[in-house]
Amino acid sequence: MNLIAPLLCPERIRLKLDASSTSRVFEEAGRLFANSLGLDATQVAETLAEREAMGSTALGQGIALPHARLKGLRQAQAAYMRLDLPISFNAPDGKPVADLLVLLVPEKATEAHLELLAEAAQMFADRRFREQLRNQDDAAAVQQAFADWPATAQ
Amino acid sequence: MSASSISSSHKAGILAEALPYIRGFHGKTFVIKYGGNAMTEPALKAAFGRDIALLRLVGMNPVVVHGGGPQINELLDTMGVEAVFRQGMRVTDEKTMKVVEMVLGELNQEIVGLINQHGGKAVGLNGQDGRFIHARKMLLPPAAGETEPVDLGLVGDIVHIDADLIDILSARGYIPVIMPIGVGPEGEPYNINGDLVAGRLAETLRAEKLLLLTNTPGVLDREGRLLNCLTAAEIEHLCRDGTIHGGMLPKLEAALHAVKHGVHSAHVVDGRVPNALLLEVLTSEGVGTTILPNDAPRFLADSRRYLESDTRNLAAP
């Protein structure tokens, strides 16, 4: 188990998403968090865009980790989205992004939240995990793939 | 996977998936080092020619630099001349230089032919053409326990690469195929390591990527496991502690030079994988090791800055 899996749930896992730009992706993330946690969709999208403006959250290999602080949020929450077609994300390797793990953390973010991001980055740096994840086509299986790391890692 | 073993709908799916990559890399320059070892298998050679032609046809600017190590050794062997290497670099006397020029010239035309067969417009060049690769005699630092610099004969260092000729050719739709021979101040030819030419060329052309094709899976750790993604600093560490050695050294030196001078990423690609180039450029997962500049994975530094910034712009839930 790891720090990320408990923050996800199948209703915040969205596969086969048709979104043609980062703003569309962030809007969709807002909707996911709104439907499952009652957060304000527009504000989630705006804070994600605000963080993105400080530097791309793309990691390379088609992965991005958009994240934001949200006032009033009590504990970190995550959503996972997979796009039908990858979109440009200013990634270090120049490649477009199709897999996104979105993290929301409380306004008063601490070192623990940075660790969360570091662990997520480490997860996605593991090629076997990326492959495992991309091979799953339903939310429950994706949730399981997250739960299985790092046991699946080399 | 051969093209005939997959269904038409699957092929259409693959093409559709490649579109975002094609769009993202349109008009970008890719310098590709085609190694002597990665070009021994006929089927792989044909696929290489097709991949290069295809990258050009979908709007990218491939520039090929090739070596010829194994083929040069083979001919020297037949002639009874022994190949001598110091620090991964070939020692080149005048007799060896004749062989180098002959073998490289032949390989150059072969690669040009392979690309042209698939609809590309390849042009063979060596650094003396338009004097575009300026070189001087290379002296390596003394080996351990020695005081004299290592003299490699007619082996050259790159002084300067003039991008003009390559830019003109690329702009008109031609694919430059370059053999690594440079020209000295007196017009004398120098044998230059192909990896280093590729690295410098990638810098000069402000390339998007430098792709180094090899006959290994990529950069390996001490246990022989493939390392997917490394920063320049991590590569330097692996070179210092001896994990990386031999022929991989000039490749990584070239990769480091490129990413430290504006090239976005360098890739050591397993040239034995069919369509390695297409997989590397047009899919999310490459087929080897990606090398990024030290400041590329800025993700965590930016996140720290963000998480520590003041809260005045934060939205309420």
Side-chain angles (χ1 to χ4, degrees):
Chain A
M1 194 55 118
N2 53 76
L3 300 171
I4 309 298
L7 313 182
L8 265 176
C9 67
E11 60 173 343
R12 287 197 301 280
I13 293 173
R14 181 76 202 275
L15 308 173
K16 291 188 169 295
L17 182 61
D18 181 13
S20 55
S21 66
T22 47
S23 53
R24 283 289 158 76
V25 169
F26 293 160
E27 281 167 26
E28 192 58 39
R31 266 197 288 280
L32 279 180
F33 284 107
N35 293 341
S36 106
L37 296 165
L39 303 178
D40 184 312
T42 312
Q43 282 164 336
V44 169
E46 280 171 1
T47 51
L48 287 170
E50 204 176 288
R51 162 62 186 89
E52 203 61 35
M54 292 179 72
S56 174
T57 59
L59 301 174
Q61 273 103 23
I63 309 283
L65 289 181
H67 53 275
R69 298 187 296 179
L70 210 66
K71 198 173 184 177
L73 192 70
R74 289 186 169 194
Q75 60 168 54
Q77 302 287 355
Y80 172 74
M81 302 193 289
R82 184 190 294 156
L83 308 182
D84 271 342
L85 282 181
I87 58 170
S88 167
F89 226 92
N90 200 16
D93 62 359
K95 290 184 177 175
V97 162
D99 294 273
L100 303 101
L101 181 72
V102 186
L103 284 166
L104 296 182
V105 300
E107 179 191 16
K108 224 170 164 36
T110 62
E111 204 60 28
H113 295 119
L114 205 61
E115 268 170 40
L116 212 58
L117 287 167
E119 180 159 285
Q122 204 191 338
M123 264 173 124
F124 283 107
D126 176 354
R127 184 177 189 144
R128 290 215 301 205
F129 172 71
R130 294 196 300 269
E131 280 167 1
Q132 198 95 34
L133 189 62
R134 286 170 175 147
N135 284 336
Q136 313 308 326
D137 337 320
D138 68 78
V142 165
Q143 174 85 47
Q144 193 57 46
F146 273 96
D148 286 344
W149 193 84
T152 49
Q154 36 194 326
Chain B
M1 181 163 36
S2 82
S4 55
S5 68
I6 53 177
S7 71
S8 302
S9 66
H10 188 190
K11 279 183 211 164
I14 291 169
L15 263 178
E17 279 169 25
L19 181 60
Y21 296 85
I22 293 171
R23 200 168 51 185
F25 291 137
H26 190 92
K28 300 280 169 68
T29 297
F30 295 82
V31 173
I32 297 133
K33 165 69 201 312
Y34 190 33
N37 282 314
M39 55 185 174
T40 39
E41 183 87 15
L44 289 178
K45 277 199 292 198
F48 174 83
R50 194 181 52 204
D51 289 358
I52 294 288
L54 198 141
L55 291 179
R56 176 72 230 189
L57 288 171
V58 299
M60 300 169 201
N61 297 329
V63 175
V64 179
V65 178
H66 66 88
Q71 294 84 348
I72 292 167
N73 286 346
E74 204 174 294
L75 188 54
L76 288 173
D77 215 32
T78 321
M79 295 167 66
V81 183
E82 199 183 336
V84 181
F85 286 86
R86 302 287 305 265
Q87 300 179 28
M89 313 285 270
R90 178 193 307 281
V91 177
T92 307
D93 58 14
E94 264 178 52
K95 193 170 169 192
T96 307
M97 188 65 191
K98 285 265 180 297
V99 174
V100 168
E101 287 185 285
M102 200 166 92
V103 173
L104 288 180
E106 204 174 300
L107 284 170
N108 187 274
Q109 285 311 296
E110 188 185 351
I111 297 166
V112 166
L114 287 170
I115 297 169
N116 290 350
Q117 269 168 34
H118 293 96
K121 294 192 291 178
V123 175
L125 296 171
N126 91 38
Q128 300 189 87
D129 294 315
R131 296 171 67 91
F132 87 99
I133 303 177
H134 298 245
R136 64 168 171 240
K137 187 178 176 69
M138 173 192 268
L139 290 172
L140 290 179
E146 291 175 23
T147 50
E148 292 293 304
V150 179
D151 187 339
L152 296 167
L154 288 170
V155 173
D157 252 336
I158 302 160
V159 177
H160 171 73
I161 293 183
D162 189 352
D164 225 32
L165 179 59
I166 306 299
D167 284 344
I168 291 168
L169 290 171
S170 283
R172 300 294 292 266
Y174 293 98
I175 302 167
V177 177
I178 299 159
M179 62 172 114
I181 288 179
V183 56
E186 313 296 330
E188 72 281 21
Y190 281 106
N191 176 20
I192 309 176
N193 181 285
D195 297 320
L196 302 185
V197 170
R200 280 290 284 271
L201 197 59
E203 173 198 4
T204 307
L205 298 174
R206 296 189 178 81
E208 173 72 25
K209 289 179 189 295
L210 167 66
L211 300 151
L212 300 151
L213 265 65
T214 65
N215 62 338
T216 65
V219 179
L220 306 176
D221 68 11
R222 280 183 182 281
E223 280 75 47
R225 288 173 305 199
L226 176 67
L227 298 164
N228 280 151
C229 188
L230 296 163
T231 61
E234 287 167 331
I235 289 283
E236 280 165 340
H237 180 78
L238 292 173
C239 290
R240 267 199 310 274
D241 78 2
T243 305
I244 296 166
H245 49 83
M248 193 55 99
L249 281 175
K251 285 194 202 315
L252 294 178
E253 198 183 316
L256 286 176
H257 182 89
V259 299
K260 285 181 174 179
H261 292 88
V263 177
H264 294 149
S265 60
H267 304 260
V268 178
V269 178
D270 189 347
R272 300 166 306 175
V273 174
N275 302 109
L277 269 183
L278 296 188
L279 290 172
E280 186 60 54
V281 176
L282 301 178
T283 67
S284 64
E285 299 286 343
V287 281
T289 301
T290 297
I291 296 147
L292 297 173
N294 285 328
D295 60 355
R298 294 196 47 84
F299 170 78
L300 285 175
D302 287 343
S303 297
R304 177 178 288 279
R305 199 157 55 89
Y306 169 74
L307 293 181
E308 287 171 356
S309 63
D310 71 68
T311 56
R312 98 194 106 88
N313 292 325
L314 282 182

